[in-house]
Amino acid sequence: MKFVKILVVDDEENILQVIKAYLEKNNYIVYKADTGRGAIHLFETFQPDLIVLDLMLPDMTGEEVCRMVRKSSNVPILMLTAKSSEDDMVNGLMIGADDYITKPFSPRELLARVISLLRRTNQREQGNMSLLSYAQGCLTMDLERYEVRIHEEPVSLTHMEFKLLEILAKHPKRVFSRLELVNLTQGDTFEGFERTIDVHIKNIRQKIGDDPKHPVFIGTVFGVGYKFLVSPDEK
């Protein structure tokens, strides 16, 4: 049996203790940090399976921690923040977080988000083992190794970005609405903003070098959503 390791980062000790107790009650191994530097140290030492990350930390911002983690890992990151505006959520997703939850929250809600993120990660790791190739090998996706390459150069995507790209790439020319993409990646109980899909698509385009004004891979269908423009290479 694999024990799932979760790193919880928050500068409020009472919140740390509540989250730790609730997650441990549900059989997770929990490491806790109340500073950004402490979080980076625990991340590098224990390589957790998921990070719950508060954005307001005393020594460095949660955004900085997220960026540092993303330099070496695609571990799922759940933002924990008192900020509740759409722009704040979008900014967090743009730096590489996979999901967010705003304070105040119930431990049950946080657990549900954790389970959902871990489930999507496990599905990704246990999914189809085929290799997808497009534009004569210009873009490749290895669904077993969770790898994306452009011109043979590796591209680092978050779990959400990878899932979105996979959904689009597996259904070339099909138009997906933002709501469809939210439901396919987050589940139909997700109560966030459809605009988060735009943020993830923007990040994917930047990482694979796809100019939105002259796209090769991901096209925008204005007023509707997105579609993948290229059919897979013949094997």
Side-chain angles (χ1 to χ4, degrees):
M1 177 180 178
K2 178 185 176 182
F3 291 96
V4 176
K5 299 174 292 184
I6 298 178
L7 171 59
V8 181
V9 188
D10 197 297
D11 63 340
E12 297 183 54
E13 182 63 24
N14 60 325
I15 291 180
L16 277 178
Q17 293 297 346
V18 168
I19 295 176
K20 184 175 188 292
Y22 201 81
L23 291 177
E24 287 181 340
K25 181 181 177 181
N26 286 273
N27 301 315
Y28 295 105
I29 297 174
V30 180
Y31 306 99
K32 59 188 181 76
D34 57 8
T35 65
R37 291 183 180 87
I40 294 299
H41 172 71
L42 290 176
F43 164 72
E44 293 175 343
T45 302
F46 296 105
Q47 294 295 300
D49 299 292
L50 184 142
I51 299 175
V52 178
L53 176 62
D54 185 23
L55 294 186
M56 306 296 289
L57 299 172
D59 57 338
M60 58 195 300
T61 66
E63 287 94 337
E64 290 175 301
V65 175
C66 185
R67 289 191 185 96
M68 293 179 70
V69 168
R70 281 288 174 255
K71 289 180 180 179
S72 62
S73 174
N74 289 323
V75 61
I77 296 177
L78 173 63
M79 293 190 307
L80 182 63
T81 176
K83 300 177 179 180
S84 59
S85 76
E86 181 177 353
D87 286 341
D88 290 327
M89 300 304 103
V90 167
N91 289 337
L93 294 171
M94 287 187 69
I95 62 172
D98 294 278
D99 198 359
Y100 59 84
I101 185 171
T102 57
K103 300 176 182 178
F105 59 88
S106 71
R108 288 183 61 191
E109 180 186 5
L110 181 124
L111 177 63
R113 296 294 183 94
V114 166
I115 291 173
S116 177
L117 267 179
L118 290 171
R119 182 187 300 120
R120 296 202 301 267
T121 303
N122 290 335
Q123 288 173 345
R124 170 71 268 120
E125 292 174 349
Q126 298 171 7
N128 191 331
M129 296 183 180
S130 64
L131 177 69
L132 304 180
S133 177
Y134 301 89
Q136 287 73 53
C138 174
L139 169 66
T140 60
M141 296 185 69
D142 189 324
L143 305 184
E144 178 183 3
R145 297 182 178 179
Y146 199 74
E147 292 179 348
V148 174
R149 291 178 178 270
I150 287 288
H151 301 296
E152 299 296 328
E153 294 296 322
V155 177
S156 179
L157 299 182
T158 68
H159 286 279
M160 179 62 66
E161 291 163 2
F162 191 97
K163 184 63 177 177
L164 272 173
L165 183 58
E166 178 186 354
I167 290 170
L168 292 170
K170 280 186 171 180
H171 303 88
K173 311 299 175 64
R174 175 184 167 182
V175 178
F176 287 88
S177 70
R178 290 170 178 81
L179 182 58
E180 281 183 293
L181 292 172
V182 166
N183 290 338
L184 288 169
T185 56
Q186 302 273 20
D188 56 14
T189 60
F190 180 70
E191 297 181 351
F193 303 103
E194 289 182 31
R195 184 184 165 197
T196 59
I197 294 297
D198 296 335
V199 177
H200 290 306
I201 293 294
K202 179 181 178 181
N203 289 344
I204 294 169
R205 282 170 164 165
Q206 288 178 340
K207 292 178 180 181
I208 66 175
D210 202 25
D211 183 352
K213 294 182 179 179
H214 306 284
V216 174
F217 297 108
I218 301 175
T220 301
V221 181
F222 293 100
V224 182
Y226 299 96
K227 66 178 179 179
F228 201 74
L229 302 173
V230 184
S231 297
D233 296 334
E234 294 185 5
K235 297 183 179 180

